[in-house]
Each structure stands twice: as structure tokens, then as C-alpha cells.
Amino acid sequence: MIPLSVKKTCPVYLGPKAGRLFFYRYKVVEMLRSKPLLLFTLCLATLLYSLSAFGDVTLPKLLASHMVVQRDLPVHVWGWASAGEAVAVTFRGESKTATADDLGRWSVYLAPGKAGGPFALTVKGANSLTLDDVLVGDVWIAGGQSNMEFAMRQAATASADLPKAANDRIRLMIVDKIYSDYPKTDLTGRGWTASTPDSAKDFSAVAWYFAREIEAKEHVPIGVIDSTWGGTVAETWVSMTALGADASLASVFASRGHQTERESTALLEDLQQKREIAEAKAQGKPAPQFPWHPLLNMWAPAMLWNGMIAPLTPFPIRGVIWYQGESNSIIARNPAVYYHLFPALIEDWRRQWQIGDFPFLYVQIANFKSTPIEDWPTIRDAQLKTLELRNTGMAVTIDVGNPDDVHPTDKVTVGNRLALAARSIAYGEKLEFSGPIFRQLTQESGAVRVWFDHAEGLEVRNGTLTGFEVAGADNVWAPAHAKIEGSTIMLTNATVPQPVAARYGWTNSPECHLYNSAGLPASPFTSVR
């Protein structure tokens, strides 16, 4: 080994994202003290190599061959280069130029265009990049927890549909699971690919069925970005700025505090559980089962927003489909905060994308027995109330869940119901896209009448008209006799002579059989505000 004793400095360019020269201290061996020319040569060679190796124009992972860019909106192309470097972008016969700023960042917007392709997109600076097979159509983000992450290969209909999944007009991208303390400017994950049996098998089943339906009905290329993480809470998908600006979300930070306070105990529990599993395996016994424990940072406020959503926001989109809420049902975490948290998430995403109130379509969580420590009706009701936001739509799934499995395998129904909402809200089709939605309650002699929107042709399917309850001024709930009268429901109970409130499907796993003539189920609700 040669002893390191003398420190010298020479300038080294640290890469396109830094975009400028920094000084890095090099330790140089003692013999270089007497050879300054050798030191100078070493520094110069390092500088020239760095400029040639790292001065290239680069693009974010999101911009790649086989992608779909959003039609009818300006095409945003951005990236990094050497500070002051001129960058030219050409797409569909149009060229725009930009100059990288002193941090190496550059950005151009090209004119909007209609659906079509494939096209090539070229980027030229010190080097040249070409993105091939670029389509113009509609881009949707698929977000949420495990029921959105749930892969096509696991769906009940996979054996029939996966072999037929080849569709070059549907493009898929999966974002890697990553959390971050600050908003990332780039992401990791698989690049864009056309839908094939192989690329679709690990993709979100709900999102794939949604894309299949939209492509077939709207006849435009569809790109879907799967950015999901099973078991996550909503607050980790919201920016810290939005969370901190809303005092009604304070319990989010209290819940985080409780989690961090017991993390040292949780880690010890994990070690003990691993020992017990190893002992059982050594003895040839079945492995013991333990309650699931989330990773500390996968539930941290804003962490997944920072790592998995923020890098997507410069990319224009058509809208979002969302399936989440189960993990926020834990009573100790205050499920009622979801009344504020979920709308805050939607408004935050719209604000961050800066393209207006794009459609945000979501799934109301399904029926599941769960445990007494979870409150699913409150989450469903918060999702129902969130329909008050502009350009939102909700797919009710209270009839296609599995009471014994939090991950029901019927994803085609879920995807198709989201697609119905998109066809109406995003694409303007005249069709019924929602089941009956509670509008108001009126009192009658010894009864209450429930009024609905989307209530044409109320009917009972697959059972009897159960799940309704009424309460008097004492707020004591009792099962109600329900009768369909036109587009309303009349509710009575002999033990509640003057009912003033009503609710429907107010358990974790209710029996719900009320539909409209379009075959779409009514949402659970409560008239109590």
C-alpha cells in the first residue's frame, strides 16, 4: 500500500443532475508532492473524462420508448444536462429548444395533439436520444393499497383473460416501491411496455381491466402507471405541505407518533417471531402466524407521495383511479379523519399536477368481516361524502367482496365499474355509471322515506331487502322493514314510532341487495351528519 498523506484538490463534474462543477478533495500519495505536473495531468484528465461521461442529456425514467403521452394537452419533456447546454426536442414534426439552468435542469412544452402514433421523439444536446414507439392517447394513474396492487395473475378471471392480454394500444408501467423524506424528481421501476400476457400478469388487475374497457370503448391508446403499495394508509400518499396546512388532519401526526414510540418494541417482537418460526421449521411443525406489522416508513406521512407520486406530477395525465381505505379503518388511528384526509389527498394531487380538476375515480371498500378493532362503515361513508368534490366518481363494490378475505379476486367487476364512471365523467358518455346514492331523508307518519340519486328502477337482487336501520331521537338503532316505492325506500319499525334517522349497510360486512335497473348496487350510507 502507498501511504496517503497529502491532500490536493481538482474540479470534478458530478453528473447531469448536479449540472455544475464541484470541488472534491483528493488524497494524493506522498510521491506526487514532487511531481506537480503529474498531479495537474491527473486533475485535467479527470475533468475532461467527467465532462464527457456525465455531461450527456438525460431523461427521467418516466419518459421512455413505448410510453403514452396525454392527448389534447401540451407535451412536457424535461430532464438534465450540463449547465448552460442547449437542448432540442423534436416530436410530430415540431421542435423546441431549451437551455439547461445552472443546476442542469431543462424543460420544454410542445403543442397538444390528437390521439395517434406511433411516433419518435428525439432529444439532442451533447448527445442524442431517441424514444421510439410513442403513442398519443390517455394516461391514467392507478394508486392505492393492496386491492389496487393485486396482480392480474391472482384474479379469478386470469386464466381466461391473461392469454388474451396482448394489446399494443394499452401501455403499462409499474413504479417501484420506494419511500423518501423529500419529493423525488425521478423514480425507479420497469419501463413502459405494451400489454402482453407477460407484462400484464404482474400489473394491477383492476387497472388492467379498466384500461381494456376504456380502450375498447373510446378507441384511443391508453397508458396506465401502476403506483401502489399494499397495506398503506392514505396519509403517506399526501404531500407534507398539504397535511401540515390542514388542522383537521392533526390526528395523522398523532398516529405517527404512537407508531414511532412503539417501534423499538415492534422490532424486538419481529426478532422473537422469527426465532419462533425458525424453531417450528427445525421441528417440522407449521410456522406460527402473527399479526401483520407495517414497515415504519411505509406508513409515514408523505413518504410514498415523495417517492412514488411526486416524480409523476410533471407528466400530464387524463385522470386517476384509486383503491384504498382499508388500512385507515383501524379505530385507534381515528377513521373519522378520512372525511378530511381523502378529499385533501385528491385536492393535493390536483394542485401538484397543475392541469385542473382532472377526474379522480375511486373504489368504495368492499364487504369484509375484518375485526372489531376496525371500522369499515366510517371509511365507506367518508368515501361517499367525497363525491361532493368536482369530477369524482365512486365504484361501489359492497356486493363483490369476500367476507372472509380482504382481497376479493373479482377484479373485472371493479375495473369495469370504474370504467363506467370514466366513460361518463371523463369522456362525457350518456350512461348510468353509479348505483343508488343517498340524497336525503324525509319524515312521514311513523316512518322515514329515503331518497336517492341514480335510482331509476330500484330493485332487489340476489336476496331480500335487508341492511336498513332506523333510529329515533334517542339515537338507538333498530332493524327496519324496507319497502321500495318508486325511486324511494320507505322504512318502518314498530319499536321506533317516530324515526328521525336511517342508515344502510352499516357493518364491516353487510348484506346489501339494493340495485338500480342498470344492475349497479346502492352505496351504504347514514343520514346522520
Side-chain angles (χ1 to χ4, degrees):
M1 295 289 291
I2 300 175
L4 302 178
S5 58
V6 179
K7 294 182 179 179
K8 299 287 183 180
T9 62
C10 66
V12 177
Y13 182 66
L14 295 183
K17 291 189 181 181
R20 56 185 174 179
L21 296 179
F22 290 83
F23 283 90
Y24 178 82
R25 290 193 174 274
Y26 274 86
K27 291 184 176 181
V28 183
V29 295
E30 181 66 32
M31 68 177 190
L32 291 181
R33 184 193 297 273
S34 60
K35 298 182 180 180
L37 181 59
L38 181 58
L39 175 60
F40 173 78
T41 303
L42 174 63
C43 290
L44 181 60
T46 302
L47 173 60
L48 293 175
Y49 173 78
S50 299
L51 288 173
S52 63
F54 299 109
D56 289 350
V57 173
T58 61
L59 297 173
K61 181 81 171 182
L62 190 54
L63 302 182
S65 295
H66 316 299
M67 68 177 176
V68 177
V69 298
Q70 181 57 47
R71 62 174 169 156
D72 301 329
L73 287 178
V75 177
H76 188 199
V77 183
W78 71 100
W80 303 272
S82 298
E85 183 174 349
V87 178
V89 179
T90 302
F91 184 57
R92 293 182 300 196
E94 179 189 11
S95 293
K96 286 284 183 72
T97 59
T99 301
D101 66 16
D102 60 353
L103 297 180
R105 301 168 301 193
W106 59 269
S107 170
V108 300
Y109 285 89
L110 297 115
K114 300 300 182 183
F119 302 103
L121 186 152
T122 61
V123 181
K124 292 184 179 181
N127 59 307
S128 180
L129 302 173
T130 299
L131 308 186
D132 295 313
D133 189 32
V134 175
L135 299 182
V136 179
D138 287 340
V139 180
W140 291 84
I141 306 292
Q145 61 178 113
S146 55
N147 272 306
M148 183 63 86
E149 182 184 5
F150 193 93
M152 269 293 291
R153 56 184 166 76
Q154 300 170 290
T157 45
S159 61
D161 292 332
L162 264 181
K164 299 180 291 186
N167 187 337
D168 191 57
R169 288 166 61 83
I170 295 176
R171 303 295 174 87
L172 311 174
M173 183 177 187
I174 298 178
V175 175
D176 280 351
K177 296 177 177 62
I178 184 171
Y179 49 78
S180 174
D181 286 313
Y182 62 91
K184 294 281 193 179
T185 57
D186 204 356
L187 48 78
T188 62
R190 308 178 192 182
W192 287 94
T193 180
S195 177
T196 67
D198 185 61
S199 65
K201 72 178 189 300
D202 295 321
F203 200 78
S204 162
V206 168
W208 189 87
Y209 281 118
F210 171 86
R212 183 182 71 171
E213 188 74 5
I214 295 301
E215 190 279 324
K217 298 296 184 182
E218 303 303 325
H219 308 293
V220 297
I222 300 295
V224 187
I225 301 171
D226 178 345
S227 188
T228 55
W229 192 328
T232 52
V233 288
E235 55 264 35
T236 196
W237 297 100
V238 185
S239 74
M240 189 63 76
T241 301
L243 292 172
D246 189 341
S248 69
L249 303 180
S251 68
V252 163
F253 297 100
S255 295
R256 176 61 175 171
H258 295 319
Q259 184 186 15
T260 57
E261 286 170 359
R262 79 169 308 274
E263 183 64 12
S264 59
T265 299
L267 292 174
L268 292 174
E269 291 171 348
D270 286 345
L271 290 174
Q272 177 60 26
Q273 291 167 9
K274 289 177 181 177
R275 284 193 292 266
E276 293 181 24
I277 292 171
E279 290 172 2
K281 183 178 179 180
Q283 297 171 10
K285 298 179 180 179
Q289 301 296 310
F290 301 100
W292 176 74
H293 175 248
L295 297 174
L296 184 64
N297 285 331
M298 66 183 282
W299 276 20
M303 283 279 199
L304 301 191
W305 158 264
N306 291 335
M308 299 175 64
I309 300 299
L312 305 176
T313 58
F315 196 60
I317 61 172
R318 181 64 167 167
V320 170
I321 56 174
W322 176 263
Y323 194 163
Q324 190 277 335
E326 297 92 339
S327 289
N328 284 93
S329 70
I330 301 170
I331 292 173
R333 296 185 62 87
N334 183 23
V337 76
Y338 211 77
Y339 286 102
H340 304 282
L341 178 58
F342 188 38
L345 182 152
I346 296 172
E347 297 284 39
D348 184 35
W349 286 32
R350 288 172 168 173
R351 183 168 51 252
Q352 299 279 1
W353 251 278
Q354 299 183 34
I355 54 173
D357 293 339
F358 54 74
F360 198 106
L361 315 174
Y362 55 90
V363 181
Q364 187 185 60
I365 58 175
N367 50 310
F368 176 58
K369 290 175 183 176
S370 190
T371 68
I373 68 169
E374 294 180 338
D375 178 6
W376 287 44
T378 293
I379 298 297
R380 292 191 196 103
D381 194 56
Q383 292 170 327
L384 176 63
K385 299 297 193 299
T386 300
L387 288 175
E388 294 173 1
L389 291 184
R390 174 179 168 82
N391 284 340
T392 55
M394 183 176 73
V396 176
T397 61
I398 200 67
D399 60 331
V400 293
N402 183 338
D404 300 309
D405 190 344
V406 72
H407 300 121
T409 59
D410 179 1
K411 300 306 187 190
V412 64
T413 299
V414 181
N416 287 348
R417 287 178 181 173
L418 282 172
L420 281 176
R423 289 168 60 190
S424 176
I425 296 168
Y427 298 104
E429 285 192 56
K430 302 299 182 183
L431 52 79
E432 181 56 272
F433 66 93
S434 172
I437 298 294
F438 173 75
R439 182 198 306 164
Q440 65 180 12
L441 189 77
T442 56
Q443 292 180 252
E444 301 190 10
S445 178
V448 289
R449 186 180 297 274
V450 181
W451 299 78
F452 298 90
D453 294 319
H454 304 282
E456 183 176 346
L458 287 184
E459 61 183 38
V460 179
R461 294 191 178 191
N462 308 316
T464 58
L465 194 55
T466 60
F468 285 94
E469 299 172 89
V470 292
D474 58 3
N475 201 35
V476 176
W477 294 96
H481 172 73
K483 181 182 178 182
I484 296 175
E485 293 188 358
S487 59
T488 69
I489 301 287
M490 184 71 78
L491 302 177
T492 58
N493 182 295
T495 66
V496 186
Q498 293 183 315
V500 297
R503 66 188 187 186
Y504 171 65
W506 205 259
T507 66
N508 284 356
S509 186
E511 287 283 336
C512 294
H513 303 289
L514 179 64
Y515 291 75
N516 59 20
S517 59
L520 297 172
S523 169
F525 71 87
T526 178
S527 66
V528 178
R529 281 280 189 171

